[in-house]
Amino acid sequence: MATKAIGSGSSKLSAAFALLLLLLLLLLSLWTPGAGATNPKANEYKSADCTGDKNFSHAANGLTWVTMDDSSHCVYLASQDWEHRTWQAYSEKTANGGLCWGDVLGNLGPDEHNLDSTYDQRIRCVLNCATNSGASRYDLCRRVGDYIPAERANDRGSPW
């Protein structure tokens, strides 16, 4: 007595096609143009309210330290993950394109910030850092109110 094969060639092909289509739809559902994560961004403006042309634009995956040019008066900040990251404001910079040091003035959210009037001291540098306890100590934010000497500017994370 002959036995009949379970599933013919065309039904196997149909099942493979359906599986491939399902996988494609799953991948497309994970990717939506324009809805992806935003690279960390710190755009400087000469105006006090971040209007007009940008003075300097900083945006890149892994962007960490951004020094504020002396001719800038406002910064617009963006991040990939505001739940676990923030920008910290510092009172000093080692040089243009350098590192942050001095007083840790505070944490800045996703908005525009006047460099001259947000805090008692001018914001001269911002640091993109982690706020969650599970982050590497080299990526953690420093404690607001601490003073970081220039020689420790490159020591990322909590000083304790």
Side-chain angles (χ1 to χ4, degrees):
M1 169 159 51
T3 56
K4 187 175 181 183
I6 304 173
S8 65
S10 64
S11 65
K12 287 181 185 178
L13 185 62
S14 295
F17 179 76
L19 183 61
L20 182 62
L21 184 61
L22 182 62
L23 182 60
L24 180 63
L25 289 173
L26 177 64
L27 288 173
L28 285 174
S29 71
L30 297 175
W31 177 77
T32 305
T38 301
N39 281 334
K41 182 186 304 183
N43 291 334
E44 299 177 56
Y45 294 82
K46 286 187 178 184
S47 68
D49 61 355
C50 289
T51 58
D53 294 334
K54 290 179 206 162
N55 200 19
F56 294 95
S57 182
H58 314 274
N61 190 19
L63 184 64
T64 305
W65 311 94
V66 181
T67 58
M68 301 292 106
D69 188 80
D70 293 340
S71 65
S72 297
H73 296 283
C74 189
V75 63
Y76 172 80
L77 299 172
S79 181
Q80 293 172 322
D81 179 7
W82 286 108
E83 185 178 344
H84 297 106
R85 302 195 69 77
T86 193
W87 287 93
Q88 279 194 319
Y90 286 76
S91 63
E92 303 297 332
K93 61 184 178 182
T94 56
N96 285 334
L99 304 172
C100 302
W101 69 281
D103 292 317
V104 182
L105 301 172
N107 296 331
L108 302 168
D111 205 353
E112 57 227 22
H113 303 277
N114 184 296
L115 300 174
D116 304 308
S117 64
T118 298
Y119 298 106
D120 291 344
Q121 300 178 64
R122 177 177 164 81
I123 299 169
R124 290 189 170 83
C125 191
V126 292
L127 165 67
N128 183 3
C129 54
T131 58
N132 58 317
S133 60
S136 161
R137 72 179 189 91
Y138 301 105
D139 190 33
L140 283 173
C141 295
R142 292 176 167 141
R143 191 171 24 207
V144 173
D146 280 358
Y147 178 82
I148 308 303
E151 60 272 9
R152 292 209 34 240
N154 202 29
D155 295 344
R156 284 286 314 276
S158 300
W160 54 90

